[in-house]
Amino acid sequence: MSVNLQTPIDYLKGVGPNRADLLRSELGIHTYQDLINLFPNRYIDRTQYYKINELQRNNAEVQITGKITGFREVAQKRGKRLVADFRDDTGTMELVWFRGQKWIRESLKLNQPYVIFGKTNWFSGKFSMPHPELELLNEHEKNLRSTMQPIYPSTEKLSNKGVSNRVISKIMQNLFLETKGQFSETLPSSLRSNLKLISKSDALFNIHFPKSTNLLSKAQFRLKFEEFFYIQLQLILKNLIHKSKIKGLTFIKVGDYFNTFFKEHLPFDLTNAQKRVLKEIRSDLGSNAQMNRLLQGDVGSGKTIVAFMSMLMGLDNGFQCCLMAPTEILSVQHYNSLQELCKPLNISISILTGSSTTSERREIHKKLENGTLQILVGTHALLEDKVKFQNLGLAIIDEQHRFGVAQRSKLWKKGAEASSQNKKDSEGEKKSFTPPHILVMTATPIPRTLAMSVYGDLDISVIDELPAGRKPIKTVHRYDNNRLKVFRFMREEIAKGRQIYVVYPLIQESEKMDYKDLMDGYDSISREFPMPEYQISIVHGKMKAADKDYEMQRFANGLTQIMVATTVIEVGVNVPNASVMVIESAERFGLSQLHQLRGRVGRGAEQSYCILMTSHKLSEASKTRLETMVRTNDGFEIAEVDLRLRGPGDIMGTQQSGVLNLRIADVVKDKDILNTARNYAKDILKLDPSLGLQEHKMILNTYRQMGKYKNIWNYIS
Ligand code: ADP
Ligand code: MG
């Protein structure tokens, strides 16, 4: 009879109620299945023994054979520690315990050969090992040793309560004994033979008790593939279901607005990338499924015109459209540029923000509801309940990392209000509502591999080409002691009529210090660039919104030459005449933030510059970031480096998607396996979207099980 893997962990030999509680609370292990899926973080070589005189001061984990020659108690600030002298034929070292001293003292035997294992410290001229694992040599020799002993994830509480790595290994052994190591296969044989994957049982055995390095790597490959495969299957299925179940408004025709604009008013030739993306959007809008698309494009790649032309497709089919931006400044800029484009086409457009007056609001509400207002631009204010569209067809969100998923869905419901109102007016019966199409625009590039696994529910378009004739921004790195030269350069640029940003970091934890830096910087720049010859703006997060806007406007209108600011200017501002970006303490910014800031310049016809100022003290990671900035202007390349430096944890969106809740695979290191898994998942679903074929039965069952026992994806530290 086979063992049911959903058996609670309490029933396993060697576990018991206390350990079961610990395993549940610390590692989320409730069942046999959960324990099998606790994969080792790494493996260490337990066939290797060190001599005390071979130890290095590198805190490595080592295994040494020797004898305890005596114990001592040493008083310390709180309580005392127990110290043992440990000796082999090459030298002596100390073993140290801060807890469980009585028990240790009573159970350990003096002058008997022991094997100790643990991390070594170097302290006042001596090596020591705190809380070593200890085993009498003759017992040690009875146990099988492997060159790859697994080290399992653990927590402080677990080790304090004696659930050591050895204990976990032991209960894992018990589990394999009880189940005879036979586990149901989860991947069909065709797939396994195609990819030369070993069986599930072999993979699980070798991940926990590797027989050889070769088998270990085969086990890892098989389990990583499987993990990615089922996540991708889930994401792709979600997307397919979305497309088949969620009806969209069909924009049947390309009409007068679009055609007239395209033929007569387009201010420049579209780049090929812009054309391609417009086609992708057009094809979504013309189908009967709701569009949910992410538009990625580096700063300055021309997303606005794509947004506008998409809205024209909506207007041509009699729908209203809206564009939401995260800040008032950005909304105003969008409004201004869109208004210019709307004029020759006689399109009605308005802006709604926190500072719209009551009468402006009333007017907007009225025109939205009676359908005479065609395009509404604005901030979060668009999400207010009072804002009701007659027939919202397309909602565009700019700079998505400032908005969450919740806001996306709120916009989505704007369509619901509209159509439910229509219903009541007309026939009073209940019709299913059709949500507006959604286009999300972001200038924060996400590496493709990650994007497709993170945004499973969004389709992705990429503008990967800048408009012709753009001069790449020249980026240099300068040390603080070169500041005078930098000032001289700034003066020259201002003399040519250019404007300059000087940006200071603002990091929550050291906010006070940062503001001091900013103010000191402002003082020194004011001295170097005295009035009335020079005018300086300052903008930071502690100012009132109105004051910020006032200063931004002065700079945008060319009334000031220098803008001293914290990162509040990061998002989207467009001042084409600004051609120099000086970033102070650049080592303190993340790569994507540096890239975003640099994107504030290089928007006009002039050569633009970015100057990264730092002190001489630079970490390796800071150096890499600075070198990357100097080397390239390509946002995707920068995103790749960023991903390598930081891991996926900090990349936006990853939290929501499950790609981080991986037990064995790593989106960065294993991205080839990820791609393979995704392609297989795609092919299988293309052939058999409902997984109904006999050969896919195993996949369907596993997939269903995963949903049922959802903590299978639990993240373990
Ligand atoms: P972003 O993608 O950062 O939002 P914008 O849409 O603001 O970029 O475009 C940046 C600038 O490039 C704008 O001044 C815009 O008019 C201009 N632009 C956009 N597309 C083209 C193009 N195909 N050719 C020339 N200039 C363009
Ligand atoms: Mg933009």
Side-chain angles (χ1 to χ4, degrees):
M1 198 192 77
S2 73
V3 180
N4 177 2
L5 290 183
Q6 298 314 322
T7 308
I9 198 70
D10 313 56
Y11 292 94
L12 184 60
K13 188 174 160 219
V15 176
N18 289 341
R19 282 185 180 168
D21 281 344
L22 279 171
L23 289 173
R24 274 190 287 267
S25 64
E26 293 298 296
L27 295 174
I29 295 174
H30 297 256
T31 62
Y32 281 33
Q33 171 102 40
D34 296 336
L35 183 63
I36 302 174
N37 286 330
L38 179 74
F39 297 137
N41 285 338
R42 62 206 168 87
Y43 299 82
I44 50 158
D45 187 350
R46 291 294 294 260
T47 59
Q48 171 123 17
Y49 297 84
Y50 283 82
K51 294 289 184 189
I52 291 174
N53 70 354
E54 291 169 342
L55 295 179
Q56 308 273 330
R57 293 178 214 175
N58 57 4
N59 287 91
E61 282 174 316
V62 294
Q63 180 169 254
I64 309 168
T65 308
K67 292 172 182 172
I68 295 171
T69 56
F71 285 108
R72 242 159 330 121
E73 271 175 357
V74 180
Q76 55 185 34
K77 236 190 220 153
R78 254 191 276 154
K80 50 195 184 230
R81 63 178 185 269
L82 179 66
V83 178
D85 292 311
F86 186 78
R87 179 186 296 268
D88 70 2
D89 48 12
T90 70
T92 61
M93 62 184 290
E94 293 180 343
L95 311 182
V96 185
W97 292 269
F98 301 95
R99 300 175 299 273
Q101 304 172 355
K102 183 162 177 284
W103 181 77
I104 300 279
R105 213 171 173 155
E106 285 165 4
S107 64
L108 292 185
K109 302 186 175 75
L110 289 182
N111 298 313
Q112 298 267 341
Y114 272 101
V115 176
I116 63 166
F117 174 79
K119 267 191 189 160
T120 51
N121 290 329
W122 173 258
F123 190 66
S124 22
K126 219 175 197 167
F127 281 105
S128 62
M129 187 183 286
H131 289 259
E133 280 186 33
L134 281 139
E135 205 173 14
L136 281 165
L137 181 62
N138 56 15
E139 288 193 13
H140 180 83
E141 280 168 347
K142 278 188 230 153
N143 290 330
L144 253 180
R145 292 294 142 184
S146 137
T147 50
M148 290 155 291
Q149 182 182 326
I151 301 294
Y152 288 98
S154 186
T155 66
E156 195 174 331
K157 195 158 170 200
L158 279 176
S159 40
N160 284 348
K161 301 258 170 161
V163 185
S164 62
N165 197 61
R166 201 150 41 133
V167 168
I168 303 263
S169 290
K170 189 74 203 156
I171 61 173
M172 193 69 82
Q173 268 177 36
N174 291 341
L175 192 153
F176 274 76
L177 285 174
E178 208 175 301
T179 56
K180 304 212 168 52
Q182 292 310 305
F183 304 106
S184 347
E185 185 49 64
T186 43
L187 293 173
S189 54
S190 55
L191 194 62
R192 274 169 45 211
S193 65
N194 267 344
L195 283 159
K196 302 202 170 54
L197 300 175
I198 61 175
S199 74
K200 178 87 171 197
S201 294
D202 286 348
L204 288 174
F205 184 86
N206 281 287
I207 209 79
H208 293 296
F209 312 103
K211 284 184 189 157
S212 66
T213 39
N214 181 31
L215 274 167
L216 175 59
S217 57
K218 282 191 168 146
Q220 286 169 326
F221 183 79
R222 140 100 213 199
L223 294 171
K224 286 174 180 179
F225 176 85
E226 174 173 351
E227 185 166 43
F228 280 140
F229 176 78
Y230 280 103
I231 290 179
Q232 291 306 316
L233 201 71
Q234 192 181 26
L235 289 173
I236 297 166
L237 265 174
K238 223 161 107 185
N239 191 309
L240 284 178
I241 290 169
H242 184 104
K243 286 204 175 121
S244 61
K245 291 255 172 71
I246 303 188
K247 281 256 171 337
L249 306 160
T250 312
F251 294 2
I252 299 164
K253 59 177 182 191
V254 173
D256 284 348
Y257 282 125
F258 189 95
N259 287 330
T260 311
F261 180 77
F262 188 75
K263 284 190 201 119
E264 292 168 29
H265 305 294
L266 197 60
F268 35 66
D269 291 335
L270 295 175
T271 63
N272 286 327
Q274 285 170 322
K275 285 183 202 158
R276 188 187 63 236
V277 166
L278 273 168
K279 265 190 206 139
E280 288 163 356
I281 293 171
R282 162 69 199 141
S283 133
D284 280 5
L285 298 178
S287 81
N288 60 1
Q290 188 234 7
M291 175 171 79
N292 228 346
R293 189 170 276 282
L294 176 72
L295 173 56
Q296 285 199 64
D298 216 339
V299 278
S301 61
K303 294 185 289 294
T304 314
I305 197 85
V306 171
F308 179 68
M309 292 174 77
S310 307
M311 293 201 256
L312 293 184
M313 296 178 202
L315 302 193
D316 273 335
N317 289 275
F319 290 100
Q320 294 168 305
C321 302
C322 69
L323 171 63
M324 185 163 84
T327 63
E328 175 133 13
I329 296 172
L330 257 184
S331 307
V332 171
Q333 284 192 351
H334 273 310
Y335 175 69
N336 289 339
S337 49
L338 292 182
Q339 199 190 21
E340 286 303 310
L341 300 170
C342 284
K343 247 183 224 156
L345 298 169
N346 256 330
I347 293 169
S348 66
I349 178 171
S350 286
I351 178 166
L352 179 70
T353 69
S355 28
S356 304
T357 64
T358 316
S359 65
E360 283 165 350
R361 278 163 196 268
R362 208 176 293 137
E363 180 79 6
I364 287 172
H365 294 160
K366 197 179 86 199
K367 287 183 168 173
L368 271 185
E369 287 181 50
N370 69 22
T372 48
L373 183 58
Q374 292 167 289
I375 296 178
L376 181 62
V377 179
T379 56
H380 290 84
L382 296 194
L383 298 175
E384 288 164 10
D385 289 337
K386 280 196 176 149
V387 179
K388 295 193 180 106
F389 293 83
Q390 188 194 50
N391 57 353
L392 180 62
L394 170 65
I396 301 181
I397 307 175
D398 193 17
E399 305 291 357
Q400 88 120 171
H401 58 302
R402 298 293 163 114
F403 293 112
V405 171
Q407 275 138 334
R408 237 203 285 159
S409 77
K410 206 158 177 192
L411 263 181
W412 165 309
K413 287 186 192 115
K414 289 278 165 197
E417 286 155 16
S419 48
S420 66
Q421 212 176 6
N422 288 348
K423 279 169 248 152
K424 258 182 268 144
D425 292 352
S426 52
E427 44 222 90
E429 77 185 53
K430 220 172 165 198
K431 244 182 352 187
S432 68
F433 107 86
T434 317
H437 297 290
I438 305 261
L439 181 67
V440 176
M441 305 197 292
T442 172
T444 312
I446 310 161
R448 269 164 225 254
T449 42
L450 193 56
M452 69 193 181
S453 51
V454 172
Y455 291 105
D457 61 332
L458 294 181
D459 291 308
I460 297 175
S461 288
V462 182
I463 306 186
D464 49 8
E465 182 186 0
L466 291 180
R470 281 282 163 78
K471 295 198 184 93
I473 299 161
K474 286 192 180 145
T475 303
V476 294
H477 171 203
R478 295 282 178 265
Y479 291 105
D480 290 339
N481 51 4
N482 274 325
R483 191 172 304 277
L484 288 181
K485 276 193 196 152
V486 173
F487 283 149
R488 194 184 322 140
F489 177 73
M490 287 166 63
R491 248 178 245 119
E492 287 164 14
E493 287 297 301
I494 292 172
K496 288 186 207 158
R498 307 286 124 71
Q499 289 167 284
I500 296 175
Y501 294 103
V502 182
V503 178
Y504 288 81
L506 181 58
I507 293 161
Q508 228 89 44
E509 295 90 64
S510 56
E511 214 175 321
K512 259 205 187 124
M513 281 294 291
D514 285 346
Y515 277 113
K516 189 176 172 303
D517 289 351
L518 173 77
M519 287 313 175
D520 290 351
Y522 178 70
D523 285 346
S524 88
I525 288 171
S526 308
R527 274 194 305 275
E528 287 293 325
F529 299 87
M531 295 213 286
E533 193 184 351
Y534 299 99
Q535 301 290 329
I536 304 172
S537 284
I538 180 164
V539 170
H540 58 75
K542 286 194 170 164
M543 291 164 65
K544 286 205 199 95
D547 295 340
K548 264 192 273 189
D549 283 350
Y550 174 77
E551 283 298 319
M552 283 305 299
Q553 282 312 324
R554 280 193 341 131
F555 186 69
N557 295 335
L559 299 176
T560 59
Q561 293 93 26
I562 301 177
M563 160 66 73
V564 177
T566 55
T567 44
V568 288
I569 63 149
E570 182 188 342
V571 170
V573 284
N574 191 23
V575 181
N577 190 46
S579 64
V580 181
M581 167 64 68
V582 180
I583 304 178
E584 292 286 344
S585 304
E587 71 271 31
R588 292 177 56 198
F589 289 89
L591 250 184
S592 69
Q593 216 179 4
L594 289 173
H595 181 63
Q596 288 288 313
L597 285 171
R598 176 168 61 184
R600 299 309 109 218
V601 297
R603 300 187 155 226
E606 310 303 332
Q607 175 63 53
S608 289
Y609 304 88
C610 175
I611 303 172
L612 305 167
M613 303 293 299
T614 74
S615 68
H616 278 279
K617 259 203 245 151
L618 295 175
S619 70
E620 281 310 306
S622 310
K623 276 185 205 156
T624 308
R625 290 198 294 268
L626 296 164
E627 282 160 16
T628 307
M629 285 294 293
V630 171
R631 184 184 74 239
T632 180
N633 276 298
D634 179 343
F636 282 96
E637 193 179 335
I638 289 170
E640 291 279 354
V641 176
D642 202 26
L643 185 61
R644 251 192 291 126
L645 287 178
R646 293 194 304 166
D650 293 326
I651 310 264
M652 60 146 174
T654 51
Q655 307 297 350
Q656 304 149 18
S657 70
V659 285
L660 275 194
N661 305 340
L662 294 168
R663 285 173 292 121
I664 186 163
D666 178 318
V667 257
V668 182
K669 291 188 198 124
D670 302 318
K671 78 175 182 208
D672 293 342
I673 307 179
L674 171 59
N675 278 329
T676 312
R678 183 174 174 86
N679 288 336
Y680 271 93
K682 246 203 247 164
D683 288 350
I684 286 172
L685 287 174
K686 200 185 237 172
L687 184 77
D688 181 17
S690 60
L691 297 173
L693 293 179
Q694 185 57 32
E695 56 173 311
H696 295 148
K697 213 167 185 158
M698 190 179 274
I699 297 180
L700 184 64
N701 284 340
T702 310
Y703 183 75
R704 284 195 176 139
Q705 282 235 337
M706 275 174 19
K708 212 153 61 192
Y709 307 108
K710 63 176 188 300
N711 73 319
I712 193 171
W713 300 123
N714 269 0
Y715 182 58
I716 297 162
S717 67

